[in-house]
């Protein structure tokens, strides 16, 4: 960079402050800005059009996201002290946060390596965690709560910490649906912390939350043994440590980061309330759906019953007509039988009369013949 002596680079923390002050003044972001710090390389996704790495302050843990080309990304290594030039950009993330980044147009490497061995190991641990994959903590709780199961959460506090009070302050009614079990460890003793975390990993918990307020000694959580243990835990992990402005490395290797202990309590409270509300709405929708199906079936059954009633009424009318016709035919049959009976009587009477006449005639003939003989 030929005119480097006349350029005053910003640190990531200074640049973030600048962006915060001029968030609504878009013209401030059209100027070329030079940023100096320690390069932190992140895993590259071939599906991305650019690489998203970061530059960290040389003296603090504040860092700034930078967007680079694949060529710029490949030309640098973790720990390089660099100066980059570019313009500020921002994009809305899926969680509603605004990500601020520097879209890099030029890169100048000042030193090959300015970080110690521990920093290199931390970067390797974070890269390994990214490759292994971060667990979906929200998904674990949501699936269990929707199934009316009670998640088991292990809370790891510092040995003499009073942050449990801050945690409970934000918890509200979540204790009714989530089981919390408290454990204590000396955070100044990495071996003790690692031993406890490994034990809890085999304890059947659904999540392990590391909870500590900010202040002196917080940097012990960034010890290599603790980071390695946390990164390799099978149980989903949550970190609610320090203050929001404290950029602890452990936050980048846990599965979910919460800014403060109180915020962790609020997270569980809002989670359970949201699931309860969703379940209530789902239940109401299901009841409405069942009522609609029942109503539709009842209406169909009533129509079918009405049709059957009409068919039965028509059948009964037809049967009545047939019975009336049968009664009429029976009456006609009786009348015919009466006429036949009368005719038979008349025939018998006529036969008797014929017989009498025949006898009389025979008698007269006999008498006639008798008198003629004399």
């Amino acid at each position: 960079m030929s005119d480097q002596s006349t350029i005053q680079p910003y640190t990531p923390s200074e640049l973030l402050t600048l962006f915060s002050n001029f968030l609504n003044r878009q013209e401030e972001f059209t100027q070329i800005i030079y940023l100096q710090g320690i390069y932190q390389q992140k895993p590259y996704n071939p599906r991305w059009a650019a690489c998203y790495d970061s530059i960290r302050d040389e003296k603090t843990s504040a860092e700034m996201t930078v967007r680079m080309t694949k060529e710029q990304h490949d030309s640098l290594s973790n720990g390089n002290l660099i100066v980059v030039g570019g313009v500020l950009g921002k994009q809305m993330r899926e969680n509603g946060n605004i990500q601020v980044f520097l879209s890099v147009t030029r890169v100048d490497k000042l030193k090959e390596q300015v970080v110690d061995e521990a920093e290199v190991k931390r970067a390797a641990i974070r890269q390994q965690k990214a490759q292994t994959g971060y667990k979906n903590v929200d998904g674990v709780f949501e699936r269990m709560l929707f199934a009316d199961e009670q998640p088991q959460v292990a809370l790891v506090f510092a040995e003499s910490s009073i942050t449990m009070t801050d945690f409970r302050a934000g918890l509200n009614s979540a204790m009714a649906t989530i089981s919390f079990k408290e454990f204590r460890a000396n955070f100044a003793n990495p071996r003790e912390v690692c031993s406890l975390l490994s034990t809890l990993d085999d304890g059947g918990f659904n999540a392990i939350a590391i909870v500590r307020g900010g202040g002196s000694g917080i940097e012990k959580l960034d010890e290599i043994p603790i980071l390695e243990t946390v990164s390799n835990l099978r149980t989903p992990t949550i970190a609610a440590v320090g203050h929001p402005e404290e950029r602890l490395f452990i936050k980048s290797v846990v599965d979910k980061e919460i800014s403060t202990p109180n915020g962790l309590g609020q997270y569980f409270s809002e989670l359970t309330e949201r699931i309860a509300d969703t379940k209530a709405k789902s239940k109401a929708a299901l009841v409405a759906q069942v009522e609609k199906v029942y109503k539709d079936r009842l209406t169909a059954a009533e129509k079918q019953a009405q049709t059957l009633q009409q068919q039965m009424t028509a059948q009964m009318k037809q049967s009545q007509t047939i019975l009336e016709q049968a009664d009429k035919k029976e009456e006609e049959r009786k009348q015919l039988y009466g006429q036949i009976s009368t005719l038979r009587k008349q025939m018998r009477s006529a036969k008797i009369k014929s017989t009498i006449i025949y006898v009389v005639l025979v008698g007269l003939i006999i008498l006639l013949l008798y008198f003629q003989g004399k």
Side-chain angles (χ1 to χ4, degrees):
M1 195 179 298
S2 58
D3 56 346
Q4 180 180 336
S5 59
T6 62
I7 296 174
Q8 178 60 48
Y10 292 90
T11 65
S13 56
E14 291 170 343
L15 194 54
L16 289 173
T17 302
L18 177 65
F19 184 86
S20 176
N21 292 337
F22 296 98
L23 183 62
N24 296 320
R25 296 172 58 184
Q26 187 64 32
E27 65 272 15
E28 293 290 336
F29 310 139
T30 60
Q31 302 176 9
I32 296 294
I33 294 177
Y34 292 92
L35 178 65
Q36 177 175 316
I38 301 171
Y39 176 65
Q40 302 287 331
Q41 195 172 73
K42 304 293 178 64
Y44 170 67
N45 189 330
R47 293 178 298 177
W48 296 347
C51 302
Y52 288 86
D53 299 321
S54 65
I55 296 180
R56 183 172 60 83
D57 275 6
E58 296 177 72
K59 296 181 180 180
T60 73
S61 58
E63 60 182 43
M64 176 82 183
T65 299
V66 290
R67 184 172 67 183
M68 296 181 167
T69 64
K70 181 66 165 55
E71 291 73 17
Q72 292 169 334
H73 172 89
D74 292 340
S75 67
L76 298 171
S77 302
N78 276 321
N80 292 159
L81 179 62
I82 62 174
V83 173
V84 295
V87 294
L88 279 175
K90 62 180 184 295
Q91 62 182 3
M92 184 69 70
R93 305 302 297 272
E94 292 181 356
N95 59 6
N97 293 335
I98 298 177
Q99 182 187 30
V100 182
F101 60 88
L102 185 71
S103 185
V104 177
T105 57
R106 63 196 74 179
V107 178
D108 186 29
K109 187 188 304 182
L110 302 182
K111 291 183 181 180
E112 188 66 31
Q113 194 67 255
V114 294
V115 296
D116 57 19
E117 184 179 355
E119 286 291 335
V120 175
K121 288 183 178 180
R122 291 188 184 98
I125 292 171
R126 180 168 58 185
Q127 187 167 2
Q128 181 183 359
K129 177 66 176 179
Q131 292 174 346
T132 303
Y134 291 85
K135 302 175 186 66
N136 185 356
V137 176
D138 293 350
V140 171
F141 289 127
E142 288 172 356
R143 284 193 298 270
M144 296 189 69
L145 292 173
F146 272 118
D148 291 326
E149 299 176 3
Q150 188 178 44
Q152 307 292 316
V153 179
L155 301 171
V156 180
F157 292 95
E159 202 167 39
S160 59
S161 172
I162 60 172
T163 50
M164 186 64 176
T165 304
D166 295 334
F167 170 71
R168 291 183 182 276
L171 198 57
N172 294 330
S173 60
M175 293 186 68
T177 51
I178 300 178
S179 175
F180 299 100
K181 191 169 183 180
E182 179 183 345
F183 298 89
R184 296 280 176 169
N186 182 3
F187 282 10
N189 187 340
R191 180 176 297 180
E192 181 180 335
V193 175
C194 293
S195 177
L196 176 58
L197 292 175
S198 298
T199 300
L200 296 178
D201 197 29
D202 296 325
F205 291 97
N206 302 112
I208 299 173
I210 303 172
V211 189
R212 189 194 189 283
S216 177
I218 190 69
E219 67 279 355
K220 286 292 184 180
L221 288 174
D222 280 349
E223 292 286 336
I224 298 300
I226 295 179
L227 296 177
E228 288 179 336
T229 300
V230 170
S231 178
N232 292 322
L233 292 176
R234 301 183 303 277
T235 307
T237 53
I238 305 172
V241 295
H243 299 130
E245 65 273 9
E246 290 176 320
R247 303 287 297 180
L248 293 168
F249 200 90
I250 192 173
K251 296 180 180 181
S252 65
V253 296
V254 294
D255 299 302
K256 187 172 186 65
E257 174 197 350
I258 305 295
S259 58
T260 62
N262 180 267
L264 180 63
Q266 292 177 352
Y267 162 74
F268 285 120
S269 176
E270 292 171 0
L271 174 69
T272 54
E273 290 176 1
R274 174 167 55 83
I275 297 301
D277 184 59
T278 302
K279 287 174 65 176
K281 290 180 180 179
S282 299
K283 183 178 180 180
L286 180 61
V287 170
Q289 184 179 4
V290 171
E291 288 180 347
K292 183 179 183 303
V293 172
Y294 175 77
K295 184 177 180 180
D296 292 343
R297 290 184 177 179
L298 182 62
T299 302
E302 290 176 347
K303 289 182 179 179
Q304 186 177 8
Q306 186 177 6
T307 301
L308 290 174
Q309 182 66 34
Q310 292 174 351
Q311 292 176 350
M312 288 178 63
T313 301
Q315 189 68 32
M316 290 179 65
K317 288 183 179 179
Q318 185 178 2
S319 298
Q320 184 66 29
T321 302
I322 293 174
L323 288 174
E324 290 176 354
Q325 292 175 350
D327 291 342
K328 184 176 180 181
K329 289 183 179 180
E330 180 65 21
E331 185 65 27
E332 291 176 351
R333 185 182 66 80
K334 288 180 178 180
Q335 291 178 359
L336 180 59
Y337 282 165
Q339 293 175 356
I340 292 174
S341 178
T342 301
L343 183 59
R344 285 178 177 175
K345 289 179 180 179
Q346 291 175 351
M347 289 177 63
R348 283 197 299 268
S349 177
K351 185 176 182 181
I352 292 172
K353 289 180 180 181
S354 297
T355 301
I356 294 173
I357 293 173
Y358 176 75
V359 172
V360 171
L361 288 174
V362 171
L364 291 175
I365 291 172
I366 292 173
L367 290 175
L368 182 59
L369 289 176
Y370 174 77
F371 286 114
Q372 285 180 353
K374 288 184 175 185

